[in-house]
Amino acid sequence: MDIPWWRDAVVYEIYVRSFADASGDGVGDLVGVRERLPYLAQLGVDAIWLTPFYPSPMADGGYDVADYRGVDPLFGTLADFEALVADAHTHGMKVLVDIVPNHSSSGHPWFQEALAGRGRDRYVFRDEPNNWQSTFSGPAWTQVDDGQWYLHLFAPEQPDFNWRNPEVHEEFLDVLRFWLDRGVDGFRIDVAMGLYKAEGLPDVGDQSFMSVSPIWGQPEVHEVYRQWRKLLESYPGERMAVGEVWTDSAADLALYVRPDELHQSFNFAWLQAPWSPTAFKKVIDDTLGTVPFATWVLSNHDVVRHRTRYDTADPGTGLARAKAALLVMLALPGSAYLYQGEELGLPEVKDIPPEARQDPIFFQSKGTLPGRDGCRVPLPWSGDAAPFGFSPQGVDPWLPQPGTFAALTAEAQSGDSDSTLEFYRRALACRRDLVRSIPYHLEWMDSPEGALFFTRGSLTCVINCGPEPVPLPPYDHLIMSSGPITGDSLPPDTAAWLQA
C-alpha cells in the first residue's frame, strides 16, 4: 500500500502572531511566515500548521472567528496566504490550517443576527442557564438583553454553535471547500470533541475532558467527521484532518480516527506524562494498541513549554530532558508535531507583567491563573536585545521578550554543533532517512531500572529517566544522542539512537 504523506510527517505548529513580524506592527503575520520558510526547510519539517489568521476581534488570539473565509488585516491578505501556500509547496512542505467549528466570535454576522432575535437556533440559547462553567473559568452562560442566555464553553466572546442545526453543517463544509480550493493540504480541528452537547443540557458534576460527559465527546460528532472525510477524499493529493481531542481514554481517542473519520488525532497523553519510564511506556502501549495512526506532541500554544515542565531544582535538567524526550518521540511509529521555538530550547516565560498579559484565561480567572501567554512569547531570531529580529528594530512585540532570549536566537545557535537548534536539525535529518527503512511497530527490550529501551527494526532507542547511569544494550554504532555518551553507559536524562 502507498504510505500517505501524513503518517510519518513532522508537522511544525506556527502560532502566527508570534512567529515573525514583516509588517512592523509588533504582531507576526503571513508574510513573516513566508520569509522564514527557508529556515523551516533547513530544519527539516514536512508540513506547517498555521493557527487562525481569519478576521477576528482577537478576544482569544484569533480563536474567536468573525469570518471563516478571509484573512485578518493584522496578518495580511488572502493574496499573502495564497503566496505562502505556493512557496511552502515549492519548498516541499504541506500546509495545514486551523478550523474552529465549536464556536464563532460574538462579532460573527450570525451571532449579531441572533442578538437581534433572528437565526438563534444556529447557537445554543436557552431561557435558564445550567451549571456549566467556562473552560477559561467563570460561568459558561451570558445573558442577552431579552433575558435569554447563550452558551460559551470558552470566552463570552466565543458563543458555541448548535450543531443540531443543519445550517451549521453546510456552512462548515463550504468553509472547508473554500480553503481546499486554495491549496491547503489539511486541517487542524479546534475542540474537535466539543461540537455536540447532550440533549437537554443536563447539569454536570465534573467538567474535565472525559470520554463520558454531557459536554464532550457526544456520539453525534462522529457523523460530522464522516462528512468531512468524504469531502477531503473528493480532492486530489491526500488532504487530511487532525483533531484536537482531549479525552481520558485511548479507546475514545481511537473512535475519531476510524477509517471513515479523521486521519489523525492529537495524543495529549504523551504531553501530559510525567518524566518516568513507566508513564512513557504506558502511553506508548495504550496509543499503539488502540490508535491506528499515532501522533506525538510535547508542546503547543496551550500548554507550558516542555523544557520548563521537565525542569527540576538542578540547573539544565529541563533542557536535557526536553532533548531526550524529543529523540524518543521521533523514534516512535507515527507523526510528530513540534511547536515553534522548541527547536531553540525556549523555556516558558513566567515573569510577564500583568499589564502585558493578553490571554482571556488570565482575565476570566481574575489573575489567579497565569494563562497561556508564557508559551506564546514571540520568537527570538537574531541580535542581542528585544525584539531579537522578530519585528523591525525599535518595534515592541505584542508580548515582551526576556533578555535571556539573547543566547537562544536562531542566529546564535546556527552552526553551533552543541546548540538545541543544530540538535533538532540532525535529529530530523536522521529520522527522515530512518523512517524509510524501519517497520511501523516497535518491540520492547529488557530495560534497566529507570530506563526504557525499544527497537524498531535496526534502530534501538534508549532513554534513561533515572538518577544513575545505566548500561547500554549491545549495538554496532551510535547514530546520535541527546547528550554526551562515554563508554558503555547511558547518563541520566539522556536518550540515544543506536544501530543494532
Side-chain angles (χ1 to χ4, degrees), residues 30-41 45-48 50 78-95 182-185:
L30 296 175
V31 173
V33 174
R34 188 179 168 203
E35 288 173 351
R36 300 287 181 176
L37 288 173
Y39 166 86
L40 296 170
V45 302
D46 302 301
I48 57 174
L50 303 168
L78 199 51
D80 293 333
F81 175 79
E82 289 170 343
L84 167 55
V85 172
D87 271 18
H89 288 162
T90 303
H91 280 95
M93 284 181 278
K94 308 283 189 183
V95 179
R182 275 153 189 79
V184 307
D185 300 285

Side-chain angles (χ1 to χ4, degrees), residues 297-318:
V297 58
L298 287 164
S299 281
N300 63 35
H301 67 282
D302 283 331
V303 298
V304 172
R305 285 187 175 275
H306 63 279
R307 172 181 177 168
T308 299
R309 289 203 315 274
Y310 290 146
D311 247 332
T312 68
D314 297 330
T317 46

